[in-house]
Amino acid sequence: MRVYYTNRIYSLVTLLLWLSPAMAQVDPHNCNFGGVLDGDPLVPCNLWVDNVEEPFSVAPFRLGSGESSNWIGGPPQDNTNNLKGGYAFTTNTDMIKTTAYHKKAWMLTPPTNSTGPAGKCLTFAYSIDGLGIKNLEILLITYDIDNPDEIIENKTGDLLFKQVPLWSKKESTSGEWTKAKVTYTALGLHSLAFSANPDVRFSYSRGYAAVDDIVFTNGPCGNDCMFDTTFCTWENEKFEDDFDWSLGRGSAKRGTGPASDQASSLNYQILTGGYTFIDSGHPRRTGDTARLVSAVLNVTNSPLCLSFWLNLHGGGIGDIRVLYAPEDNPNNITTAVWRLRTGTEESSDFGPDWYPCQQTVSSVGNFRLIFEAEVGFPGASDIALDTITLTEKSCPSIPTGSTTGWGDCTFLENTCGWTMPYSQTASCRMLDRVTANSYNPPGHTENAYDITDSYMKFDLGCYLNRARERSTLVSAPFTADTVSCLSFFVYMFTTVATTTKFGALSVILLNKGTNTTLWRLQNQQQPGWTYAQVAIPRGSDLKVAFEGIKGLNHIGMIGLDDIAVFPSDCEAMPDQAHVEPADCTFDSGPCLYQIQNANGASTSPAENWQFAVDGEISSLRDHTFEADLGGYMFMDSFNTGIRSRLRSPTLGVNQTYCFSFYFASFYVDPNAKLSIYRDPDGVGELIWQFTPPTSNSVPGATTESLGTAGGYQDARWHYGQVALEDQSSRYHVYIEGEVRDGGWAVDDVKLFRVASDCKTRPETADPNYLMPGRSRKSG
Ligand SMILES: *[C@@H]1O[C@H](CO)[C@@H](O)[C@H](O)[C@H]1NC(C)=O
Ligand SMILES: *[C@@H]1O[C@H](CO)[C@@H](O)[C@H](O)[C@H]1NC(C)=O
Ligand SMILES: *[C@@H]1O[C@H](CO)[C@@H](O)[C@H](O)[C@H]1NC(C)=O
Ligand SMILES: *[C@@H]1O[C@H](CO)[C@@H](O)[C@H](O)[C@H]1NC(C)=O
Ligand SMILES: *[C@@H]1O[C@H](CO)[C@@H](O)[C@H](O)[C@H]1NC(C)=O
Ligand SMILES: *[C@@H]1O[C@H](CO)[C@@H](O)[C@H](O)[C@H]1NC(C)=O
């Protein structure tokens, strides 16, 4: 229960609850940091925010509220969107300038007795923003002595303590408050530390990590389970299997089963030492199965990351699977979502260690998850399972290859069936699997065993490649019966501060010879790993490609890590990566635009729109990357008089768009026109038209800017936009150029689904535009 309130009624309810015996269970370390009501002070509750001195010698957390601390680097409001509401925060500047030995910042709970075998659930809200923060972690601190309190309070003697990370977040939340939860158990005296680490590579850049609404409750969070004394909300299946899972505390047999439970294998002081396992001894036979069934899991908007640990010690371990069952009929197992085929050979022994496993699950209705273990070689194949957690996020399947879906990859060991082009040049590969070094930032994958993380890197500084060269990472072919959501983390980064246009990453669907761009993020991104997702349509024999495109030669990279695929028709993220079929950046051709000669007579390509490949128009660099050597559409005429159209792919019904693009006019032709039409009901409707200004229409125009023929010498990119009102039949949009002695160029067509605030630009291009002091234009 929370002890804070946002209004008087709630506070009355809280007061009544306060008087009830339930209140006795409120944990003394809960904290909303005060400040919620007028005059309410900011308080650290029982938490230790200042640990600068020995024995911890770390930077402090501070108390703040949006009102008091936003200007010195804290978030603008607390977790309840209250400007006065308190939170605890630290900034990378605080951490770096502190006199404390460790430049990380900690906020600690005082040493607390054992959690008991049921463990505890910590929930809290956090917000991370800016480049200067490397991560926020929850650490379990355990003490090797009986009286840490006295040593800490009186600062006498040495304090021996161990820390084990329970939870970690690397990505910025872009200032949003986000909820998190952690289940843990601890045997003896322990503290939890909220630990923020500065990113020394960005020490010049500001960043904060903030925490609010800390609540501890007894027992595991939700459907998490540590299997220390109970199965928590999990149950043995009664009918559909051959035998049951048991609770264990250390194998009594030699050569099979774990010696201790998962978490105490990492830190002997953490746990009371339970897990669940299948006993494969007599009377079990090869192929017998045991199922452990979850409670009904409520459908959420977010996918769930199911994570658990397995111990596969023994000769001839059988298979283990995670099954998905819709709620209405738990025995109707429609899908195995994860499986480990260990085979029945002796060589399948994974040894005495615990292995972390995870899988993203999602569902359109309420569902259950089922662990199904199968006996391999009876007597020697005890499979043990521990520390199940369910967290609202997607996560790549581990170990590699255990998902029954397609695409998941951490890139820790290999590329999981994603293929990259063969390259003979070891020194300068545009696409490679890399690890962190002085050039490459750390990857995104969390792992429990400090394995060096790898990820995919598109090198944008590779001297061998020219602007707009591409490299692709292509999936293995797959067939999907439902729409799936491809989620991944992306890092787009250049060290050249003045350059914002350095490259792009696209997700492309390869469907029987047709390539469709589904998602694209380009230029100007924050360095740091960013969550991304896009829906992939169902179909057979599909492939998906990640395509990196390079801008001009810049030191920089696009990183790709932690791909997870799950069934869901998800919205593209981040927002700006959403792609409409009629979008085109003209990097390598006209996309789905068709070139049509509007006169109907000429078939000469030279009299139509053309894709600029190689410096045909030397005065104009492309708009997308400001790179030379083409990369846009153009048409030009030297005294011929041409009219040509770019026809968009079909646009859907009942959808309003804002149609935006960049255009340039070059050379000097006062009679040239660039127009946009659309064809409702087969009739061309003029919705936008630009004519280069003439000496009459440009106030203060000089002979120099107008050129000898009286037309406007320009050759710079201008922004154009026009609203496409919704209509009930499908239609095309046409970009029509008309020119006699000059030319037009077009680049970066992008459609936005919101047409509000989509006034025609430039405003003179509105067919109904009234020049000041002139009459309405005809047509
Ligand atoms: C911790 O447990 C011991 C033994 O049960 C008890 O004497 C002590 O008061 C407890 N300490 C706290 C802070 O609860
Ligand atoms: C710690 O300091 C407090 C206050 O000075 C004192 O009462 C207490 O006895 C001290 N404890 C130890 C172990 O020195
Ligand atoms: C799941 O939803 C049901 C109602 O549909 C509700 O009664 C139950 O409390 C929910 N469970 C959880 C864990 O939120
Ligand atoms: C199992 O579920 C599928 C789809 O949800 C349904 O078509 C099928 O009839 C179900 N089978 C049983 C035995 O309930
Ligand atoms: C589609 O993309 C793949 C992978 O990048 C490429 O090999 C192929 O040539 C493309 N096909 C078309 C028709 O563009
Ligand atoms: C488009 O809107 C019209 C009018 O509201 C409606 O009758 C029609 O069914 C809609 N069409 C589609 C494909 O949604």
Side-chain angles (χ1 to χ4, degrees), residues 651-655 678 680-681 725-731:
L651 293 176
V653 301
N654 293 356
Q655 178 63 55
R678 68 171 181 171
D681 319 317
E725 302 299 334
D726 59 329
Q727 61 177 53
S728 55
S729 58
R730 287 148 70 86
Y731 63 97

Side-chain angles (χ1 to χ4, degrees), residues 321-627:
R321 294 174 277 269
V322 176
L323 310 175
Y324 161 88
E327 182 194 2
D328 40 16
N329 184 356
N331 296 330
N332 185 356
I333 311 304
T334 51
T335 334
V337 290
W338 183 98
R339 45 129 179 65
L340 203 57
R341 288 223 174 88
T342 59
T344 47
E345 282 101 59
E346 300 239 349
S347 60
S348 71
D349 190 348
F350 283 60
D353 292 335
W354 285 91
Y355 287 93
C357 304
Q358 64 185 25
Q359 170 68 39
T360 306
V361 291
S362 66
S363 178
V364 291
N366 293 352
F367 64 106
R368 292 177 200 263
L369 292 173
I370 300 171
F371 283 92
E372 181 179 72
E374 192 174 316
V375 173
F377 185 73
S381 58
D382 295 355
I383 293 175
L385 165 69
D386 201 2
T387 317
I388 297 177
T389 62
L390 283 155
T391 313
E392 287 193 18
K393 65 174 185 183
S394 64
C395 55
S397 182
I398 43 179
T400 298
S402 53
T403 182
T404 57
W406 63 276
D408 282 34
C409 201
T410 58
F411 300 102
L412 270 181
E413 298 149 55
N414 53 40
T415 61
C416 319
W418 291 83
T419 51
M420 45 182 166
Y422 175 71
S423 162
Q424 288 182 310
T425 333
S427 65
C428 184
R429 289 188 180 134
M430 186 167 170
L431 176 59
D432 208 352
R433 195 174 136 252
V434 302
T435 52
N437 59 24
S438 50
Y439 301 105
N440 302 329
H444 182 267
T445 316
E446 299 292 343
N447 69 76
Y449 285 126
D450 285 333
I451 304 162
T452 307
D453 189 16
S454 297
Y455 58 91
M456 300 307 298
K457 169 185 164 180
F458 294 91
D459 186 349
L460 306 178
C462 191
Y463 64 93
L464 293 171
N465 302 108
R466 303 197 309 175
R468 280 185 308 282
E469 272 195 42
R470 297 174 288 166
S471 193
T472 46
L473 181 71
V474 183
S475 75
F478 63 91
T479 292
D481 304 335
T482 55
V483 180
S484 42
C485 184
L486 171 70
S487 72
F488 52 98
F489 284 84
V490 60
Y491 194 123
M492 293 179 77
F493 173 57
T494 171
T495 51
V496 185
T498 50
T499 307
T500 55
K501 298 188 161 189
F502 51 88
L505 182 70
S506 304
V507 174
I508 297 172
L509 180 70
L510 315 185
N511 185 4
K512 299 169 189 74
T514 307
N515 291 359
T516 314
T517 303
L518 302 176
W519 179 102
R520 177 174 165 122
L521 195 62
Q522 65 186 31
N523 301 331
Q524 273 179 318
Q525 303 303 317
Q526 290 267 324
W529 290 101
T530 304
Y531 178 76
Q533 64 177 32
V534 59
I536 308 292
R538 66 201 180 95
S540 60
D541 203 20
L542 305 174
K543 288 183 191 172
V544 161
F546 284 95
E547 180 185 79
I549 307 180
K550 176 185 157 67
L552 278 171
N553 246 337
H554 290 304
I555 308 297
M557 57 155 263
I558 298 173
L560 171 67
D561 204 358
D562 288 345
I563 300 175
V565 178
F566 52 92
S568 169
D569 189 2
C570 58
E571 293 283 331
M573 281 176 69
D575 286 349
Q576 66 268 31
H578 178 89
V579 170
E580 290 289 331
D583 288 359
C584 189
T585 48
F586 305 101
D587 295 325
S588 57
C591 307
L592 300 176
Y593 283 78
Q594 281 186 9
I595 296 160
Q596 298 183 334
N597 188 294
N599 299 325
S602 171
T603 51
S604 161
E607 296 184 6
N608 286 313
W609 284 103
Q610 299 173 56
F611 176 60
V613 182
D614 214 354
E616 287 94 340
I617 311 297
S618 57
S619 55
L620 195 64
R621 288 167 167 244
D622 91 318
H623 180 265
T624 321
F625 301 120
E626 277 163 16

